[in-house]
Amino acid sequence: MLGWILLFFIIALIAGVMGFGGVAGAAAGIAQILFFVFLVLLVVSLVSHLMGTRRRGP
């Protein structure tokens, strides 16, 4: 998912430099949404890992 965020960020930068404000804004918005989704999934994953059952050795 971080790869998608970086891709849309780069698209936004290139579009902004070339003067395509609408495309740059849309790509930046998508990158921002993906970033927050990634953060939520990271927090859920960490909490589930910490709250999960621990395996005991043999």
Side-chain angles (χ1 to χ4, degrees), residues 6-7 13 24 29-30 41 44 46-48 56-57:
L6 291 174
L7 175 70
L13 286 177
I30 292 171
L41 291 175
V44 168
L46 288 174
V47 168
S48 67
R56 296 185 181 190

Side-chain angles (χ1 to χ4, degrees), residues 3 5 8-9 16 20 22 26 28-29 35 37-40 50 55:
I5 295 169
F8 281 108
F9 179 69
F20 299 113
F35 177 74
V37 168
F38 173 76
L39 283 181
V40 168
L50 293 174
R55 296 182 186 178

